[in-house]
Amino acid sequence: MLQLPPRSVRASNPSPAPADPGWASINRGVLICDECCSVHRSLGRHISIVKHLRHSPWPSPLLQMVHTLASNGANSIWEHSLLDPAQVQSGRRKANPQDKVHPTKSEFIRAKYQMLAFVHKLPCRDDDGVTAKDLSKQLHSSVRTGNLETCLRLLSLGAQPSFFHPEKGTTPLHVAAKAGQILQAELLVVYGADPGAPDVNGRTPIDYARQATQHELADRLVECQYELTDRLAFYLCGRKPDHKNGHYIIPQMADSNRLFEELAMDVYDEVDRRENDAVWLTTQNHSTLVTERSAVPFLPVNPEYSATRNQGRQKLARFNAREFATLIIDILSEAKRRQQGKSLGSPTDTIDYPVRSQSDPDDQHDYDSVASDEDTDQEPLRSAARNNRARSMDSSELSDGPITLQEYLEVKKALAEVEDEAVYSTHIPASGYRTSKLDRHGSGTDSDYDNTQAGEALLSMDGKRFLDLGKDDDFHAELEALDGELDPGLPSTEDVILKTEQVTKNIQELLRAAQEFKHDSFVPCSEKIHSAVTEMASLFPKKPALETVRSSLRLLNASAYRLQSECRKTMPPEPGAPVDYQLLTQQVIQCAYDIAKAAKQLVTITTREKKQ
């Protein structure tokens, strides 16, 4: 058995709870004040699940679990190395109540809960898999007791809540259910344990609880099993199903079937964000905490998800109340149809909100999981699309979502090989995250998920400023009125490829700086890219006849300007002002991708036109 630190170390000098905590972080087992909550919410639910102690609805066992953890020193789990006299880290200290939220408290909270910088470190082992297995076995044994803090510590170290014990033939949740440990069951479910998981004989934790006459626990596990659909239904119509008589409340609604599982989880997270927003605004009374800095306008980026999925999650914030309700209705309807293996149609299947009859479940999916690549004949781009199918490369969009370095390098590789390729299409249809409500009601725009200050500044420019920018940079394609004769001429393919290689080389230099955290190199790198982009654009006529050329030059110009704007954020106007380098780097990579995409489009057009 792995040895945890002695309780004397774990309990020494625990952080005092806030004097009047209004919020709780459920999966961290701590109570937090409004200031800290503003940071926790910005981390995302995959890091910290927050709920208001008085104004949010709580299942009684879940609230009891959080209070039990908080009162038994759960906070010391996340601050272990700061509390252990033998492991005090030089130069690191806890944030004080008097410190400013940004940057001091926010940086500490991120280090504590997102980076897990202060948790107990296990002794090094040659086989990490064995360590994880040992932790999970220890968790499997510990959940039969009432010591929640020990189990939370094991989970923080990497124990798997759904671990299937090869000798016992059960999961930790089976053990907790058999022992009647309802709070342990709550903790396991919060960390992802499945109440419907079968043991070696096909029995679920719910069956174990009922066999042990733990009826309250059994009923609670049923609620946990249907938590996703219950939460969506309650958000929409303020009701939850009586699980003894059925598991779903479904408003009557017809809409197309959809590739569904990821969407349901994303909408669940958006429901959580909107509910907490409502509570947040209600409880703050327009205090100084309610600032732009503490706002959470859309779901934070989850690095475990693809760029397209993160883009779709953020677009959920753009739905108005009616559109969002319609989406929830569709999810609830589809969840029941999949559970029962049939289409909805009888009057008993629908409750509340009558809208219209169900559409054919075989209708075209609106929540696309991949981007189409049928419109290109170029193999390198097909390969890039296969490696990241979720990425859309529609030339009409300024920005397709947060782009990783790997994604950019795939595009760069395709660009490098374009010289040896035959003619290929200039347009790949946009796919990814769409819903019929978004398309019908126009609640979204191109790149409407992009809520960065730079994106808003670019979109909100008045016409004169945008026009002047184009003239200064010598980019004339459609930035000034297209009066007079349009020029059908195009530069040679060789010249365009040569300039594209220069742009790519400068972008590579910028991305190396990003990889090495050399943020002071961002501005000079962006200047080089801007210069190379200017030279490339100057190859083309001032008034190109082809709409595709004008569109690509627009994208090239706007992306180069936006890159400069983002890179200048490394030099805040006020010395010592906080800079979110993680978000900044993400936006810089996104701009680099947009520039590379525009350059690719210009090479494509030139190659095609010259071969005709």
Side-chain angles (χ1 to χ4, degrees), residues 31-47:
L31 306 182
I32 53 180
C33 65
D34 289 347
E35 283 189 341
C36 292
C37 179
S38 68
V39 181
H40 277 256
R41 292 187 60 218
S42 70
L43 301 178
R45 294 187 74 256
H46 57 291
I47 303 296

Side-chain angles (χ1 to χ4, degrees), residues 263-309:
L263 175 61
M265 290 186 286
D266 294 343
V267 171
Y268 181 91
D269 288 352
E270 176 65 7
V271 165
D272 186 84
R273 186 193 71 82
R274 292 190 182 207
E275 287 184 335
N276 279 331
D277 260 350
V279 174
W280 178 258
L281 294 173
T282 300
T283 58
Q284 298 313 301
N285 296 322
H286 305 287
S287 71
T288 56
L289 289 177
V290 186
T291 63
E292 182 180 349
R293 189 183 297 277
S294 63
V296 184
F298 49 79
L299 290 172
V301 172
N302 185 334
E304 295 182 2
Y305 296 159
S306 68
T308 300
R309 184 172 179 186

Side-chain angles (χ1 to χ4, degrees), residues 274-503:
R274 292 190 182 207
E275 287 184 335
N276 279 331
D277 260 350
V279 174
W280 178 258
L281 294 173
T282 300
T283 58
Q284 298 313 301
N285 296 322
H286 305 287
S287 71
T288 56
L289 289 177
V290 186
T291 63
E292 182 180 349
R293 189 183 297 277
S294 63
V296 184
F298 49 79
L299 290 172
V301 172
N302 185 334
E304 295 182 2
Y305 296 159
S306 68
T308 300
R309 184 172 179 186
N310 275 311
Q311 173 187 358
R313 286 164 59 85
Q314 292 177 333
K315 281 186 175 180
L316 290 173
R318 293 282 184 168
F319 281 57
N320 63 33
R322 182 178 180 82
E323 292 166 347
F324 194 52
T326 303
L327 183 59
I328 292 176
I329 292 169
D330 289 340
I331 292 173
L332 293 171
S333 299
E334 178 63 4
K336 183 174 183 180
R337 187 192 68 79
R338 290 178 179 231
Q339 175 77 11
Q340 297 182 345
K342 67 178 183 178
S343 298
L344 298 176
S346 65
T348 57
D349 287 331
T350 58
I351 306 175
D352 303 323
Y353 293 94
V355 183
R356 57 183 182 272
S357 60
Q358 288 291 329
S359 61
D360 190 330
D362 294 326
D363 285 349
Q364 178 67 32
H365 301 303
D366 284 335
Y367 186 71
D368 299 327
S369 61
V370 298
S372 172
D373 60 4
E374 280 83 12
D375 289 283
T376 178
D377 294 323
Q378 189 205 6
E379 186 55 30
L381 287 182
R382 284 180 189 247
S383 176
R386 282 194 295 269
N387 290 336
N388 196 334
R389 303 275 299 180
R391 183 169 65 246
S392 165
M393 295 181 65
D394 189 338
S395 62
S396 67
E397 292 186 332
L398 173 65
S399 176
D400 294 325
I403 300 300
T404 65
L405 177 60
Q406 181 60 37
E407 289 172 325
Y408 167 74
L409 293 177
E410 291 169 1
V411 177
K412 183 192 73 64
K413 181 180 178 182
L415 280 171
E417 297 177 9
V418 73
E419 185 175 5
D420 301 323
E421 295 299 324
V423 179
Y424 55 94
S425 170
T426 64
H427 179 74
I428 300 177
S431 183
Y433 185 83
R434 297 288 182 196
T435 72
S436 58
K437 299 301 167 293
L438 182 63
D439 294 336
R440 292 170 190 167
H441 298 290
S443 60
T445 62
D446 290 342
S447 190
D448 63 358
Y449 84 101
D450 188 352
N451 289 309
T452 63
Q453 294 178 354
E456 290 171 353
L458 182 61
L459 294 175
S460 64
M461 284 184 191
D462 56 55
K464 182 177 185 302
R465 182 180 173 195
F466 200 100
L467 189 62
D468 292 341
L469 173 67
K471 291 177 179 177
D472 291 343
D473 290 342
D474 199 25
F475 296 150
H476 299 276
E478 285 204 353
L479 295 182
E480 55 185 342
L482 291 175
D483 297 330
E485 185 177 354
L486 300 181
D487 189 344
L490 288 175
S492 68
T493 302
E494 292 75 13
D495 288 343
V496 176
I497 290 176
L498 183 63
K499 295 301 182 183
T500 299
E501 289 176 349
Q502 185 61 43
V503 170

